[in-house]
Amino acid sequence: MNTTTPYPEPTELDARAYEDWEAWLGRDRTADIKEAYLARYGPFEDPQVAAWEADRFFPGTEGEERHRQSLLDEVLEPQYVQDRALAKQQRVLAELAELAEADGGPTFRNRDLALRGMVSELAVMLRLADRTVDARVGTAYSLVHQFPQTLDALQCGAIGFGHARVILDRGLNLGTPEARAEYEQVVLERAVEVTPGRLDRFAQLTAARLGATPFEERHKKAREERRVWVTECEDGMSQVAAMLPTVLAEGIWDRLTKQAKAVTDTGDPRTRDQLRADLLTELLLTGQPDGDPDAPHRAGVGIRGEVAIVIPALALAGDESAGPASMAGRGPIDMDTARRLAADADQLVRLITHPVSGMTVAVDSYRPSAKMRRYLRWRDGRCRFPSCNASPWRTDLDHTEEWQHDGKTEIDNLANLCRGHHTLKSIGAWKVKQVTPGVLEWTSPNGVTATDHPARWN
C-alpha cells in the first residue's frame, strides 16, 4: 500500500487565518443563528424538541454531520448490495455452466451443445441475446476458476464490478496459473485505491511484465484480429467501429481532427465531432482503394454494397405520415436516405403487408422456389429463436415439423433459424411448433416456454 506524504506544518500566518475562519464558520456564526431563532420563536421547552431543532437549524453542529453521513450511506449501500449480488451471480452462472458440461458427457461436442442449450434457456428467461448471456457465463467461469481472489474482493465490497472486469480482461491471457495468481495479487492491491479507469493501465503494464509471451508477439497475434463492425443505435443512427493497431487508430483520429479544425477555420458552423463524422463518411464512401497488388484490400475493388430497404408505398410517393422506412432486419432510417437509395436501386421488390398486423402477406417473384424463400426471409426478418437477431441472410430454412417425419414444405411449416439454434432444435434440446402460420412456440428442456412472432415492417 502506498503511504501518503504528510503535509508541511502551517506558518504562523496560516494558523491565524485558520483560526479566524473557524471562528466565523463555527462559534460566532452559530451563535448569531441561534440568537435570531430564539428572538423569533422563544426558548425551547421540550429537551427532545430542542435537540431536534438544533440539529435542523444550526449549521456546523453534530446533527448536520449525522444527516450528511446518512445521505452518503444511502448512496453507498445500494452499490455494496449490487456488488455482492453480482459476485453471487458469477458463482451461480459458473455452477450452471459446470452442470451443463457434466450433463453433456465425455465428448466436447455434446458438452458444447449442452452449454449452448443452457445459455439459450437463460437468454429467453432474461430476455437477452444469446451472445450477451454467453459472454456473461464466460466472465463468471473465468472469475470463479482463474481469479478467485478478485471475486472474493468483489463480494466483500473492497472493489466494484468495473475493477473486476479490468483485472479479468487484462490478465486472462497470462499463460500459467502462477503468473495469473501473481498478477491478481499485485493488481488487487492497487484496485482498492483507484478507479477502474486508472487501474486499467496499471493492469496492462503488470500483465505485460509477467506474461510469458513478449508484447511484440502478442501484438502480432492481436493485429491478425483487426476488424470493422456496425452496431445499430436509436433514431435511425448506427455506430461504425474498428479494431485497429493503436498507432493507426491514433493516426486516423489525428488526421480527422486536423481536417476538422481546418474546415472550422473557414467558418463552417458544424461542431468538431460532426465534422470528424462527416469527413470519415466522405473518405470511406468516395475514396477509392489503392491499386497496389500488395494492398490488403485489393480484392475490394469493384465490389458494391447491397442494402435492403423497406419503404411503405405511400411514403415513397411523398406521404410522410406513412413512414418511416427501415432496413431489412434492422431499425428505422430516415426517408430522404430511403428515397435516394430507392431512386438509385437496380430493382425494387414489392412487399404486400397486412394493414393491421404489419406481417408480410406476399412478395412478388416469378419462380415458386425463390418466391417461397424470399417470402419467408421477409416474413421472419431474422432468426426465429426468441433471443436471436441473426440476419435472415445468415440463416437456414428449417422445417418446423421435420421433413423426414412427414413435415410439408409449406409456408406454415417453415422458418428461418441460424445455424446454432437450428442445431439445438435438431438434436431435441428445444421443441418448437407453429401454433399459427409464422408464430413459433418454443419449449426448453426444463419447460420454459416463449412465443416468437414474425417481424413487423410497418
Side-chain angles (χ1 to χ4, degrees):
M1 305 291 289
N2 294 334
T3 57
T4 303
T5 303
Y7 291 106
E9 291 294 328
T11 65
E12 183 179 352
L13 180 61
D14 292 334
R16 188 164 58 250
Y18 179 76
E19 290 174 357
D20 293 341
W21 171 255
E22 279 289 293
W24 181 88
L25 183 62
R27 184 179 61 255
D28 292 347
R29 185 165 175 262
T30 301
D32 292 341
I33 295 174
K34 185 173 182 179
E35 182 178 352
Y37 182 87
L38 293 175
R40 181 173 182 180
Y41 296 99
F44 301 111
E45 297 179 359
D46 189 325
Q48 292 184 349
V49 174
W52 180 82
E53 292 292 319
D55 288 350
R56 180 181 178 187
F57 289 104
F58 299 156
T61 64
E62 185 178 345
E64 184 183 358
E65 292 303 319
R66 286 200 303 268
H67 179 59
R68 181 181 292 109
Q69 187 60 50
S70 69
L71 292 177
L72 292 174
D73 290 342
E74 289 181 18
V75 172
L76 294 175
E77 179 61 23
Q79 186 64 52
Y80 291 146
V81 171
Q82 177 180 312
D83 289 337
R84 288 193 294 269
L86 285 171
K88 180 179 180 180
Q89 186 185 59
Q90 305 312 299
R91 300 187 194 279
V92 173
L93 287 174
E95 185 174 356
L96 283 173
E98 293 167 4
L99 291 174
E101 289 186 333
D103 292 340
T107 65
F108 173 79
R109 181 177 183 275
N110 289 341
R111 290 198 304 273
D112 181 60
L113 288 173
L115 184 61
R116 285 160 56 189
M118 183 273 291
V119 166
S120 294
E121 186 170 8
L122 276 178
V124 171
M125 295 172 65
L126 296 172
R127 297 184 298 277
L128 295 172
D130 281 26
R131 288 185 177 182
T132 301
V133 176
D134 185 60
R136 291 187 180 184
V137 171
T139 296
Y141 194 89
S142 297
L143 282 172
V144 168
H145 293 282
Q146 295 179 298
F147 299 94
Q149 294 183 55
T150 299
L151 194 55
D152 290 340
L154 176 64
Q155 190 157 358
C156 72
I159 63 173
F161 194 70
H163 299 90
R165 285 306 306 262
V166 168
I167 295 172
L168 172 66
D169 293 343
R170 298 307 181 186
L172 195 58
N173 292 327
L174 290 172
T176 65
E178 294 77 15
R180 282 195 297 270
E182 183 179 358
Y183 159 85
E184 184 180 28
Q185 182 177 1
V186 172
V187 179
L188 268 178
E189 290 182 359
R190 178 66 65 88
V192 299
E193 300 176 336
V194 298
T195 65
R198 292 186 178 184
L199 179 67
D200 187 49
R201 180 169 178 79
F202 178 79
Q204 288 188 61
L205 295 174
T206 304
R209 177 173 58 84
L210 297 175
T213 306
F215 172 80
E216 293 299 329
E217 293 184 25
R218 288 186 284 113
H219 173 69
K220 183 178 180 180
K221 181 180 179 181
R223 186 186 178 100
E224 297 300 318
E225 299 177 0
R226 61 191 182 275
R227 62 193 180 99
V228 178
W229 66 97
V230 176
T231 303
E232 185 182 17
C233 303
E234 297 179 350
D235 302 324
M237 303 293 286
S238 289
Q239 184 181 59
V240 179
M243 179 64 69
L244 299 170
T246 299
V247 173
L248 298 181
E250 291 293 334
I252 292 171
W253 176 262
D254 181 66
R255 185 183 182 193
L256 289 173
T257 300
K258 290 179 178 177
Q259 289 181 332
K261 185 178 183 301
V263 175
T264 303
D265 292 342
T266 65
D268 194 290
R270 287 172 289 180
T271 67
R272 192 69 57 84
D273 283 337
Q274 291 172 340
L275 282 167
R276 273 191 288 256
D278 294 347
L279 289 165
L280 177 67
T281 303
E282 182 178 353
L283 287 170
L284 291 178
L285 291 181
T286 64
Q288 293 299 317
D290 190 346
D292 187 335
D294 295 328
H297 50 257
R298 183 174 180 270
V301 175
I303 294 178
R304 295 182 59 189
E306 182 177 290
V307 177
I309 305 297
V310 180
I311 311 174
L314 293 178
L316 191 60
D319 185 357
E320 295 293 343
S321 63
S326 62
M327 291 180 58
R330 297 292 182 182
I333 63 172
D334 67 280
M335 280 303 305
D336 288 340
T337 300
R339 291 194 187 97
R340 187 172 65 253
L341 291 172
D344 296 336
D346 294 331
Q347 61 177 342
L348 293 176
V349 177
R350 183 176 61 193
L351 266 67
I352 301 175
T353 60
H354 192 281
V356 177
S357 68
M359 290 176 52
T360 302
V361 295
V363 180
D364 60 350
S365 180
Y366 181 74
R367 289 175 154 181
S369 59
K371 179 179 180 180
M372 184 175 292
R373 289 181 176 275
R374 178 173 292 179
Y375 167 81
L376 290 168
R377 186 182 300 138
W378 287 105
R379 183 198 73 179
D380 292 344
R382 51 176 166 69
C383 168
R384 293 300 309 281
F385 190 80
S387 62
C388 187
N389 284 314
S391 167
W393 281 269
R394 298 180 180 178
T395 59
D396 302 327
L397 197 56
D398 171 70
H399 289 75
T400 304
E401 184 178 347
E402 298 292 347
W403 182 81
Q404 61 268 30
H405 298 151
D406 296 327
K408 304 299 183 182
T409 306
E410 297 175 347
I411 292 298
D412 57 0
N413 191 49
L414 293 169
N416 286 280
L417 299 179
C418 71
R419 187 60 53 87
H421 290 119
H422 192 177
T423 301
L424 286 177
K425 172 185 173 293
S426 298
I427 65 173
W430 282 75
K431 307 295 184 184
V432 61
K433 61 180 180 180
Q434 291 203 35
V435 292
T436 59
V439 179
L440 274 61
E441 183 180 86
W442 292 81
T443 304
S444 79
N446 293 324
V448 175
T449 62
T451 301
D452 188 74
H453 295 270
R456 292 177 61 97
W457 298 111
N458 58 8

